[in-house]
Amino acid sequence: MSGRREERLVANLMIALGSDHAAFEFKEAIKAYLLEKGYQVHDLGTCGADRVDYCDFGFRVGEAVAGGACEKGIVFCGTGVGISISANKVKGVRAVVCSEPYSAKLSRQHNDTNVLALGARVVGIELAKMIVDVWLDAQFEGGRHLDRINKIAEYEGRR
Ligand code: RB5
């Protein structure tokens, strides 16, 4: 892919961001990193260090992605666990919490994850940037993996 085309694709990608208080600074650092790389971000909060409930921000980001306002979402809390569980409650969201790049890559290739969760108290910021890069670059492979995604969606639709 030529550099110019890649730049255009990156610029078109809108990423929703959300965190609780425990990961506020972390979200800000990743936001700056994404903006520097040419991504567009939709920051859905939180906006400071005041105590909040991670679930509210997981739901917000999940809805932005499932509703089509943003192509992907990245969420943050202390461990990444609570906010990933919350995002996964939104119909159409496939969120993964990652602390290493291998699962991040495979979660895109095989599971077509649309939300990435990171734990600000688990991974360092440089590792988090690497995980974000790998996750954003990897493409869903479709095929047999699509059948499984469809099976999950069918189950979700029945509930
Ligand atoms: C907040 O203290 C903490 O519980 C939250 O950030 C997260 O780790 C929950 O899963």
Side-chain angles (χ1 to χ4, degrees), residues 60-141:
R60 274 189 205 174
V61 170
E63 282 170 15
V65 173
C70 297
E71 281 86 359
K72 289 191 169 78
I74 307 181
V75 292
F76 313 84
C77 66
T79 57
V81 174
I83 202 155
S84 64
I85 291 173
S86 311
N88 268 321
K89 296 298 174 192
V90 179
K91 195 172 173 177
V93 167
R94 290 175 301 280
V96 61
V97 56
C98 286
S99 52
E100 37 72 30
Y102 180 76
S103 304
K105 183 175 182 178
L106 269 290
S107 83
R108 286 286 308 124
Q109 293 178 335
H110 291 190
N111 315 110
D112 198 18
T113 50
N114 48 15
V115 173
L116 170 68
L118 294 163
R121 294 170 178 163
V122 179
V123 293
I125 193 67
E126 295 306 322
L127 178 56
K129 288 176 187 171
M130 192 183 285
I131 293 169
V132 165
D133 284 342
V134 163
W135 186 74
L136 287 171
D137 288 346
Q139 300 298 318
F140 180 49
E141 290 176 355

Side-chain angles (χ1 to χ4, degrees), residues 11 17 26 37 44 55-56 61 68 88 95 111 114 119 124 131 144:
L17 300 178
F26 209 85
K37 293 195 87 170
L44 294 166
C55 30
D56 295 326
V61 170
N88 268 321
N111 315 110
N114 48 15
I131 293 169
R144 70 185 190 281

Side-chain angles (χ1 to χ4, degrees), residues 19-41:
S19 78
D20 71 357
H21 55 285
F24 165 65
E25 300 283 356
F26 209 85
K27 167 175 68 68
E28 294 301 301
I30 294 293
K31 180 166 72 176
Y33 180 65
L34 291 170
L35 290 171
E36 194 186 316
K37 293 195 87 170
Y39 291 101
Q40 295 186 66
V41 302

